[in-house]
Structures are given as structure tokens and as C-alpha cells.
């Protein structure tokens, strides 16, 4: 298969993500939604935990709505096309606002470029003072690094969002590229865009200015060292109970969230949290971890531990969650309406859980889908997340002599064929490397796919 249609891509996205509350895909099936009316009364509308942004005094809801995985529907009469289901987005946004959510985070890059428009349509139906909108200068493509190119992206955000000021503006994903310092200069400094954004903040068209940080610690340290010049109002970081002390276990390029958080706290810069569930991995933990969490508190969901962890730290302004379905929104509202903070004992317990998880040899894929579509039809996130699931469940066979080998081999092969259609499996990866530059986790995707494929072939041969 040389190529896949957009419809197939979006379908796959939906299947891959729908299982994870709070972090599902950009595609949601309308019939899977609940209207929310049956349980609306169970979630209080006036109990959302709020945090204050020091620079503007904004009272921000602890749950922030990430607008990167919006529900989609088929385009009428166009078999291969999908579009954002605006009615569903409106319903989700209305419900979120009714329950105290007031922070909405989008980007020109989300949902194939349509998230800002959809967010603008949904929010425009509410009084402007009811919400804070965050967006980003997502000038990833080198063709947009010129001042004109970046200005066009910036101006388009106002048009798409239908606003005349932006509450939270971010330099998007700094530190994630191969040569991060050079890229930071190209995208924001040498073209004068950062100076321009500082002027826009003075003029009130940007109310808070910050950056989202991925990867290279030199960039994080450099931008904080320059804080006297830039006066960052907030910084967005990846933080969860596994990354707190084991970031290298989730990705060799990452830095422990504890360091990032403490550096911000020292400077009184509020932290906005992304990846509270680590791409869903903290909602789909191995069975022995589920058992530990349930033993500690049988009533709480596995995911709620991760949301409570992120919310417990007082310098956290808001915790972002991409929510496709009403049940995701309702689950997350329950964690923060109001927050029941973790005790010191709970945090120690979660660190112990994290120590156990850090030893698992998983691939740091967070199912973000940025590498898709692969021009050769490979379902990269599905293969990598399936592999991780098998590692977590003890279904990756090791030595043929092991007692467990036959059972694990069968479990791996059967579930692999069920989870990923044959034409989209790792064996069809030609190693072109096109996907790699899109991966914020810097996974050597073709190497991992070839490794998994070799393993699959060996398992098949050992059947006889
Ligand atoms: S290297 Fe990446 S883009 Fe190329 S075929 Fe393999 S998975 Fe697809
Ligand atoms: S391989 Fe990388 S880009 Fe692709 S889904 Fe995983 S983390 Fe995201």
C-alpha cells in the first residue's frame, strides 16, 4: 500500500486513541458519545479548583481543555474525507464551561490545521470574559521561519479564533529539534519574532507570554536564564509521576519533571502541564501496577492518580487534557471538582510505583500521531503502543526455553494481527525515515519497527 486516505488515517487515529480517557484521538465517533445529561447532576458545577496566574491575576481552572483531539465525522457525500464535528465540539465546550473549565489550549498545528477555527467557533458563543484562550506560534516548517512567514501564522490565529487578544501565547515546542539552539534562533530570535511578541504583550494583544518545552535542557535553562529580559508569564512542561524522577526512562532526551518544576517555582513562573497521562501510558499501566493502585484506593480510577499528582503541586496553573468524548471530560472533571490533593504518603507511594514502571523496557511513544500518516501506510503509533502494551502485560517472549515462552508468543502474535491490519504492520516499513523528523520523542522509528518485525518473524518461525 503506497498511500492511505485521510479517512483511513483518521479512522485509525480514532481506534488508537479511543480507549484512553482524557487522551484519545482527534477522531471521536458521535454514537459513542454520551450526552452527559444523565450524570450532569453528579459533577458539581461550582467546585472546580482554581489557580491564580501571578502576572495577570487570571483565575484559571485546574483542568485545561487541550483542543488537539477534537471529535470528527465523515463529510457528507465524500467517502474519503472527515471533518471536525463542530456540534460535538460545541457541546463539549459548553459542558466544560458550565463545570468551571475556562482554559482552552489550541495551536495552528492541531487537527491538521483546523483546531483553532473550531475552537474559535465554539468559544465565540460564550462571553469573552468566560474563557482564556491559549495558542502557539507553531512555525515548525523552515519555510515559515522568515519574519513574514511567522507573522502570517500569528495573524491567522486571531482570525481563526475570532479574537482581538490572546490570553496565553506560546513559542511552540522549543528544544525539540535536532539542533535546538539553532532552531530557536531561526524560529524566534534572528527573525525578530520574539521581540515582536514582547511588543504585542505590551500592547495588550497578548496577555501572557510563555513557551512549551520539549527535550533539550540547554534551551530550557537558556530561556530561564534570560528571564529578566523576557519575563515569562508561564512555561508549559511535561510532568507526570513517571517523568518526575524517571524522565530518562521514558525518553533518553528528557529531563526529570522535578527539575523543570522546581526551576520554575524558584522563579515564581507558573507551570502549565502537558502529558499528565504520558500519552495514555499512565491510564494503561501493567496489571501488577493496577493491582497496587486499586489496593491503595479501590474507588479511584487508574488515570485519576496521574491527574491528582499533576494537580497537587501548587505552582501548577492548569493541567491540559485532550478530550474527545463526553466521558473523558466527565472523568477529568471528577478529578478536579474539586481536587483532592495527594498526601505526602500518596506521593511517596506513587514514586514507588514509578520505580517499578521505570524498569519496564518500553518504547517512549506517547501516541501523539505527529509521525502520521506514513507514506507507506504503516500504522506507527499502533505498532509501538501495541508493543508497549505487550511489554506491560508480560507478553513479549524472551528465551525459547522459558516456561512462559509459548503462552507469551501466542499472545503477542494473535494480538498483533488483531490490532494492526497486515498491510499496516512493521514488515512494510521501507526505512525511508520520513516519519522521524516529526517525532517529538526522537524515537528511531524505522529501527524500532525493524526490531519488532524481526521479533515477529522469529516468533513465527519458532511455532513449528
Ligand atoms: S521509515 Fe517511517 S515513514 Fe518510512 S516507511 Fe517506515 S514508518 Fe513509514
Ligand atoms: S512515534 Fe513519535 S510521533 Fe509517532 S506517535 Fe509515537 S511519539 Fe508520536
Amino acid at each position: 500500500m503506497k498511500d492511505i486516505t485521510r479517512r483511513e488515517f483518521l479512522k485509525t487515529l480514532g481506534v488508537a486513541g479511543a480507549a484512553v480517557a482524557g487522551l484519545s484521538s482527534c477522531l471521536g465517533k458521535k454514537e459513542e458519545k454520551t450526552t452527559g445529561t444523565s450524570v450532569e447532576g453528579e459533577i458539581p458545577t461550582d467546585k472546580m479548583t482554581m489557580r491564580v496566574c501571578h502576572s495577570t491575576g487570571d483565575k484559571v481552572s485546574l483542568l485545561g481543555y487541550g483542543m488537539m483531539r477534537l471529535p470528527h465525522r465523515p463529510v457528507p457525500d465524500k467517502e474519503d474525507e472527515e471533518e471536525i464535528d463542530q456540534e460535538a465540539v460545541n457541546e463539549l465546550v459548553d459542558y466544560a464551561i458550565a463545570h468551571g473549565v475556562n482554559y482552552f489550549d489550541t495551536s495552528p498545528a492541531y487537527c491538521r490545521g483546523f483546531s483553532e477555527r473550531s475552537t474559535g467557533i465554539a468559544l465565540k458563543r460564550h462571553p469573552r470574559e468566560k474563557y482564556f484562550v491559549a495558542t502557539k506560534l507553531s512555525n515548525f516548517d523552515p519555510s515559515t521561519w522568515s519574519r513574514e512567514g511567522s507573522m502570517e501564522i500569528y495573524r491567522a490565529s486571531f482570525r481563526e479564533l475570532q479574537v482581538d487578544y490572546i490570553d496565553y501565547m506560546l513559542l511552540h515546542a522549543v528544544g525539540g529539534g535536532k539542533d535546538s539552539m539553532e532552531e530557536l534562533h531561526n524560529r524566534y530570535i534572528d527573525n525578530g519574532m520574539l521581540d515582536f511578541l514582547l511588543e504585542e504583550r505590551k500592547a495588550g494583544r497578548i496577555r501572557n507570554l510563555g513557551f512549551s518545552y520539549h527535550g533539550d535542557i540547554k534551551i530550557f535553562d537558556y530561556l530561564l536564564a534570560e528571564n529578566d529580559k523576557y519575563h515569562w508569564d508561564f512555561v508549559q512542561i511535561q510532568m507526570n509521576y513517571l517523568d518526575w524522577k524517571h524522565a530518562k526512562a521514558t525518553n533518553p532526551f528528557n529531563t526529570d519533571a522535578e527539575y523543570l518544576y522546581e526551576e520554575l517555582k524558584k522563579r515564581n513562573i507558573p507551570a502549565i502541564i502537558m502529558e499528565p497521562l504520558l500519552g495514555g501510558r499512565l491510564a494503561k499501566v501493567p496489571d501488577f501496577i493496577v493491582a497496587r493502585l486499586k489496593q491503595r484506593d479501590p474507588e479511584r480510577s487508574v488515570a485519576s492518580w496521574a491527574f491528582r499528582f499533576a494537580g497537587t503541586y501548587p505552582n501548577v496553573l492548569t493541567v491540559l487534557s485532550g478530550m474527545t468524548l463526553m466521558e473523558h471530560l466527565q472523568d477529568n472533571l471528577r478529578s478536579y471538582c474539586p481536587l483532592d490533593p495527594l498526601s505526602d504518603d500518596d506521593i511517596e507511594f506513587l514514586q514507588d510505583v514509578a520505580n517499578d514502571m521505570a524498569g519496564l523496557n518500553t518504547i517512549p511513544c506517547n501516541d501523539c500521531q505527529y509521525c502520521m500518516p506514513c507514506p507507506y501506510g504503516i500504522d506507527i503509533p499502533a505498532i509501538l503502543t501495541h508493543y508497549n502494551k505487550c511489554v506491560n502485560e508480560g507478553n513479549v517472549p524472551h528465551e525459547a526455553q522459558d516456561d512462559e515462552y509459548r503462552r507469551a508468543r501466542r499472545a503477542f502474535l494473535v494480538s498483533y494481527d488483531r490490532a494492526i491490519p497486515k498491510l499496516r504492520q512493521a514488515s512494510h516499513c521501507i526505512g525511508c525515515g520520513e516519519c522521524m523528523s516529526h517525532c517529538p520523542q526522537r524515537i528511531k522509528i524505522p529501527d524500532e519497527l525493524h526490531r519488532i518485525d524481526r521479533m515477529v518473524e522469529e516468533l513465527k518461525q519458532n511455532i513449528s
Side-chain angles (χ1 to χ4, degrees):
M1 185 164 58
K2 180 88 173 119
D3 206 349
I4 61 168
T5 63
R6 177 173 165 72
R7 183 182 173 84
E8 284 168 321
F9 171 65
L10 289 166
K11 257 190 193 160
T12 314
L13 216 54
V15 170
V20 184
L23 268 160
S24 87
S25 74
C26 204
L27 174 66
K29 290 182 193 156
K30 200 156 188 219
E31 62 271 22
E32 287 178 332
K33 280 194 305 99
T34 59
T35 62
T37 48
S38 60
V39 292
E40 191 164 356
E42 296 168 19
I43 302 172
T45 54
D46 59 350
K47 293 280 187 293
M48 172 63 71
T49 296
M50 306 299 279
R51 296 277 165 82
V52 177
C53 180
H54 315 304
S55 53
T56 46
D58 289 348
K59 287 193 181 131
V60 177
S61 55
L62 189 53
L63 178 61
Y65 208 127
M67 308 297 281
M68 75 288 279
R69 294 180 173 90
L70 299 176
H72 279 63
R73 65 183 171 199
V75 177
D77 303 326
K78 291 191 181 166
E79 205 186 304
D80 289 340
E81 288 184 34
E82 299 267 348
E83 62 186 3
I84 290 178
D85 183 344
Q86 191 62 47
E87 278 169 35
V89 174
N90 292 351
E91 189 183 359
L92 287 162
V93 166
D94 293 352
Y95 191 87
I97 289 179
H99 289 78
V101 174
N102 66 2
Y103 190 95
F104 295 84
D105 171 77
T106 180
S107 150
Y110 293 166
C111 293
R112 306 261 167 164
F114 292 107
S115 170
E116 279 188 331
R117 183 173 303 174
S118 173
T119 303
I121 292 168
L123 290 176
K124 186 75 179 168
R125 299 153 49 256
H126 294 269
R128 184 64 180 89
E129 68 278 7
K130 280 273 183 191
Y131 60 87
F132 302 117
V133 68
T135 194
K136 310 181 181 79
L137 184 48
S138 309
N139 54 352
F140 298 121
D141 189 326
S143 68
T144 62
W145 288 352
S146 67
R147 189 177 171 88
E148 298 68 38
S150 295
M151 285 292 254
E152 177 44 35
I153 294 176
Y154 175 72
R155 303 242 184 266
S157 290
F158 286 82
R159 289 196 300 273
E160 296 289 308
L161 288 165
Q162 305 184 57
V163 293
D164 49 18
Y165 63 89
I166 285 166
D167 299 284
Y168 292 79
M169 172 60 81
L170 296 90
L171 315 185
H172 196 176
V174 300
K178 260 193 214 141
D179 188 341
S180 309
M181 192 59 84
E182 191 183 330
E183 191 172 313
L184 177 77
H185 275 268
N186 284 331
R187 288 175 62 193
Y188 299 115
I189 298 177
D190 298 348
N191 61 8
M193 282 311 290
L194 184 48
D195 288 337
F196 169 76
L197 296 176
L198 293 169
E199 288 303 315
E200 287 290 272
R201 181 171 61 180
K202 265 192 214 152
R205 279 184 291 276
I206 292 173
R207 295 184 56 251
N208 296 277
L209 183 61
F211 61 90
S212 64
Y213 160 74
H214 293 257
D216 186 346
I217 196 61
K218 283 199 300 293
I219 304 295
F220 182 82
D221 289 341
Y222 167 77
L223 289 173
L224 289 197
E226 297 287 310
N227 192 39
D228 284 349
K229 185 166 157 195
Y230 298 130
H231 299 286
W232 302 112
D233 299 298
F234 67 101
V235 172
Q236 190 163 307
I237 57 171
Q238 176 167 318
M239 182 173 126
N240 52 65
Y241 65 81
L242 189 53
D243 278 317
W244 188 250
K245 284 186 190 292
H246 295 289
K248 293 273 182 275
T250 66
N251 185 332
F253 297 99
N254 284 356
T255 301
D256 286 346
E258 183 179 26
Y259 173 82
L260 306 177
Y261 175 83
E262 294 297 340
E263 288 300 306
L264 295 176
K265 192 172 142 209
K266 243 193 255 174
R267 294 167 176 82
N268 214 19
I269 302 173
I272 290 182
I273 304 307
M274 56 187 168
E275 301 290 357
L277 281 181
L278 195 51
R281 285 162 70 194
L282 300 184
K284 293 186 283 192
V285 295
D287 290 349
F288 74 96
I289 300 288
V290 175
R292 287 193 69 184
L293 297 173
K294 287 288 173 192
Q295 189 183 24
R296 181 129 183 136
D297 189 339
E299 300 301 316
R300 292 200 189 274
S301 70
V302 169
S304 74
W305 282 97
F307 278 99
R308 286 173 70 217
F309 176 84
T312 293
Y313 291 85
N315 194 46
V316 167
L317 185 62
T318 189
V319 179
L320 299 175
S321 179
M323 298 170 278
T324 308
L325 304 178
M326 187 60 82
E327 49 260 45
H328 302 157
L329 173 58
Q330 290 170 336
D331 272 358
N332 294 345
L333 284 168
R334 285 191 183 94
S335 292
Y336 290 151
C337 288
L339 167 74
D340 177 13
L342 296 176
S343 65
D344 289 349
D345 273 1
D346 287 333
I347 289 181
E348 208 174 301
F349 162 72
L350 277 187
Q351 284 313 312
D352 203 41
V353 167
N355 293 344
D356 283 352
M357 288 180 71
L360 296 169
N361 198 14
T362 48
I363 299 165
C365 175
N366 61 17
D367 198 15
C368 68
Q369 310 271 339
Y370 290 169
C371 55
M372 293 292 279
C374 154
Y376 295 88
I378 315 302
D379 193 338
I380 304 164
I383 295 166
L384 301 187
T385 53
H386 176 75
Y387 176 82
N388 285 345
K389 182 168 174 281
C390 289
V391 171
N392 287 340
E393 291 171 352
N395 289 335
V396 172
H398 297 290
E399 301 297 328
Q401 301 89 326
D402 286 356
D403 294 346
E404 273 290 286
Y405 183 85
R406 285 165 66 89
R407 185 204 58 75
R409 179 186 64 196
R410 183 176 154 70
F412 188 95
L413 290 177
V414 169
S415 57
Y416 185 60
D417 281 345
R418 275 191 194 144
I420 302 130
K422 282 240 182 300
L423 283 173
R424 312 199 65 189
Q425 292 183 354
S427 57
H428 295 274
C429 168
I430 66 153
C432 69
E434 204 171 297
C435 48
M436 272 175 53
S437 62
H438 302 290
C439 178
Q441 297 290 89
R442 300 195 219 179
I443 297 168
K444 291 182 177 154
I445 297 170
D447 289 0
E448 293 291 2
L449 293 179
H450 291 155
R451 182 173 67 83
I452 292 169
D453 185 47
R454 276 198 304 276
M455 189 185 90
V456 168
E457 287 309 312
E458 277 168 26
L459 294 178
K460 283 181 185 163
Q461 279 167 18
N462 286 343
I463 279 178
S464 53

Coordinates of all heavy atoms in Angstrom, one line a residue, residues 153-182:
I153 N 1.4 33.4 10.3 CA 0.8 32.4 11.2 C 0.2 33.1 12.4 O -0.9 32.8 12.9 CB 1.9 31.4 11.7 CG1 2.4 30.5 10.5 CG2 1.4 30.5 12.8 CD1 3.6 29.6 10.8
Y154 N 1.0 34.1 12.9 CA 0.5 34.8 14.1 C -0.8 35.5 13.8 O -1.8 35.4 14.6 CB 1.6 35.8 14.5 CG 1.2 36.7 15.7 CD1 1.1 36.2 17.0 CD2 0.9 38.0 15.5 CE1 0.7 37.0 18.0 CE2 0.5 38.9 16.5 CZ 0.4 38.4 17.8 OH 0.0 39.2 18.8
R155 N -0.9 36.2 12.7 CA -2.1 37.0 12.4 C -3.3 36.0 12.1 O -4.4 36.3 12.5 CB -1.9 37.8 11.2 CG -0.7 38.8 11.3 CD -1.2 40.2 11.2 NE -0.1 41.2 11.3 CZ 0.3 41.8 12.4 NH1 -0.2 41.6 13.6 NH2 1.4 42.6 12.4
A156 N -3.0 34.9 11.5 CA -4.1 33.9 11.2 C -4.7 33.4 12.5 O -5.9 33.1 12.5 CB -3.5 32.8 10.4
S157 N -3.9 33.3 13.6 CA -4.5 32.8 14.8 C -5.6 33.7 15.3 O -6.7 33.2 15.8 CB -3.4 32.7 15.9 OG -2.5 31.7 15.6
F158 N -5.5 35.0 15.2 CA -6.5 36.0 15.6 C -7.8 35.8 14.7 O -8.9 35.8 15.3 CB -6.0 37.4 15.5 CG -5.0 37.8 16.6 CD1 -3.7 37.4 16.5 CD2 -5.5 38.5 17.7 CE1 -2.8 37.8 17.5 CE2 -4.6 38.8 18.7 CZ -3.3 38.5 18.6
R159 N -7.5 35.6 13.4 CA -8.7 35.4 12.5 C -9.4 34.2 12.8 O -10.7 34.1 13.0 CB -8.2 35.4 11.1 CG -7.8 36.8 10.5 CD -7.7 36.7 9.0 NE -6.8 35.7 8.5 CZ -5.5 35.9 8.3 NH1 -4.9 37.1 8.6 NH2 -4.8 34.9 7.7
E160 N -8.7 33.1 13.0 CA -9.3 31.8 13.2 C -10.0 31.7 14.5 O -11.1 31.2 14.6 CB -8.3 30.6 13.1 CG -7.6 30.5 11.8 CD -8.5 29.9 10.7 OE1 -9.1 28.9 11.0 OE2 -8.6 30.5 9.6
L161 N -9.4 32.3 15.5 CA -10.0 32.2 16.9 C -11.1 33.3 17.1 O -11.8 33.3 18.1 CB -8.9 32.4 17.9 CG -8.0 31.2 18.1 CD1 -6.8 31.5 18.9 CD2 -8.8 30.0 18.8
Q162 N -11.2 34.2 16.1 CA -12.2 35.3 16.2 C -12.0 36.1 17.5 O -13.0 36.4 18.2 CB -13.6 34.8 16.1 CG -13.8 34.0 14.8 CD -15.3 33.5 14.8 OE1 -16.2 34.4 14.7 NE2 -15.5 32.2 14.7
V163 N -10.8 36.5 17.8 CA -10.5 37.3 19.0 C -9.6 38.5 18.6 O -9.0 38.5 17.6 CB -9.8 36.4 20.1 CG1 -10.7 35.3 20.6 CG2 -8.5 35.9 19.5
D164 N -9.6 39.5 19.5 CA -8.7 40.6 19.3 C -7.6 40.6 20.3 O -6.8 41.5 20.3 CB -9.4 42.0 19.1 CG -10.4 42.2 20.2 OD1 -10.3 41.5 21.3 OD2 -11.3 43.0 20.1
Y165 N -7.6 39.7 21.2 CA -6.4 39.5 22.1 C -6.3 38.0 22.4 O -7.3 37.3 22.4 CB -6.5 40.3 23.3 CG -7.6 40.0 24.3 CD1 -7.5 39.0 25.3 CD2 -8.8 40.7 24.2 CE1 -8.6 38.7 26.1 CE2 -9.9 40.4 25.0 CZ -9.7 39.4 26.0 OH -10.8 39.1 26.8
I166 N -5.1 37.6 22.7 CA -4.9 36.2 23.0 C -4.4 36.1 24.5 O -3.5 36.9 24.8 CB -3.9 35.5 22.0 CG1 -4.7 35.2 20.7 CG2 -3.3 34.2 22.6 CD1 -3.8 34.9 19.6
D167 N -5.0 35.3 25.3 CA -4.7 35.3 26.7 C -3.3 34.7 27.0 O -2.6 35.2 27.8 CB -5.8 34.5 27.5 CG -7.1 35.2 27.3 OD1 -7.4 36.2 27.9 OD2 -8.0 34.7 26.5
Y168 N -3.0 33.5 26.3 CA -1.8 32.8 26.6 C -1.2 32.5 25.2 O -1.7 31.7 24.5 CB -2.0 31.6 27.4 CG -2.4 31.9 28.9 CD1 -3.7 32.3 29.1 CD2 -1.5 31.9 29.9 CE1 -4.1 32.7 30.4 CE2 -1.9 32.3 31.2 CZ -3.2 32.7 31.4 OH -3.6 33.0 32.7
M169 N 0.0 33.1 24.9 CA 0.7 32.8 23.7 C 2.0 32.1 24.0 O 2.7 32.5 24.8 CB 0.9 34.1 22.9 CG 1.8 34.0 21.7 SD 1.1 32.9 20.4 CE -0.1 34.0 19.6
L170 N 2.2 31.0 23.2 CA 3.4 30.2 23.5 C 4.3 30.1 22.2 O 3.8 30.0 21.1 CB 3.1 28.7 23.8 CG 2.3 28.5 25.1 CD1 0.8 28.6 24.8 CD2 2.6 27.1 25.7
L171 N 5.6 30.1 22.5 CA 6.6 29.6 21.5 C 6.4 28.1 21.5 O 6.5 27.5 22.6 CB 8.0 30.0 21.8 CG 8.3 31.4 22.3 CD1 9.8 31.6 22.5 CD2 7.8 32.5 21.3
H172 N 6.1 27.5 20.4 CA 5.7 26.1 20.4 C 6.8 25.1 20.3 O 7.6 25.1 19.4 CB 4.7 25.9 19.2 CG 3.9 24.7 19.3 ND1 2.9 24.3 18.4 CD2 3.9 23.7 20.2 CE1 2.4 23.2 18.7 NE2 2.9 22.8 19.9
A173 N 6.9 24.2 21.3 CA 7.8 23.1 21.3 C 9.2 23.5 21.1 O 9.9 23.0 20.2 CB 7.4 22.0 20.2
V174 N 9.7 24.4 21.9 CA 11.2 24.7 21.8 C 12.0 23.6 22.5 O 11.6 23.0 23.4 CB 11.5 26.1 22.5 CG1 10.7 27.2 21.8 CG2 11.2 26.1 24.0
G175 N 13.2 23.4 21.9 CA 14.1 22.3 22.4 C 13.8 21.0 21.9 O 14.5 20.0 22.2
G176 N 12.9 20.8 20.9 CA 12.6 19.5 20.4 C 13.4 19.1 19.1 O 13.4 17.9 18.8
G177 N 14.0 20.1 18.5 CA 14.6 19.7 17.2 C 16.0 19.1 17.4 O 16.5 18.9 18.5
K178 N 16.6 18.8 16.2 CA 17.9 18.1 16.3 C 19.0 19.1 16.8 O 19.8 18.8 17.7 CB 18.3 17.7 14.8 CG 18.1 16.3 14.6 CD 18.8 15.9 13.3 CE 18.0 14.8 12.6 NZ 17.9 14.9 11.2
D179 N 19.0 20.3 16.3 CA 19.9 21.3 16.8 C 19.0 22.4 17.4 O 18.7 23.4 16.7 CB 20.8 21.9 15.7 CG 21.9 22.8 16.3 OD1 21.7 23.3 17.4 OD2 22.9 23.0 15.6
S180 N 18.6 22.2 18.6 CA 17.6 23.0 19.2 C 17.9 24.5 19.3 O 17.1 25.4 19.1 CB 17.3 22.5 20.6 OG 17.1 21.2 20.5
M181 N 19.2 24.8 19.7 CA 19.6 26.2 19.8 C 19.5 27.0 18.5 O 19.0 28.1 18.4 CB 21.0 26.3 20.5 CG 21.4 27.7 20.9 SD 20.2 28.3 22.2 CE 20.9 27.6 23.7
E182 N 20.0 26.3 17.5 CA 20.0 26.9 16.2 C 18.5 27.1 15.7 O 18.1 28.2 15.2 CB 20.7 26.0 15.2 CG 21.0 26.7 13.8 CD 21.6 25.8 12.8 OE1 22.4 24.9 13.2 OE2 21.4 26.0 11.6

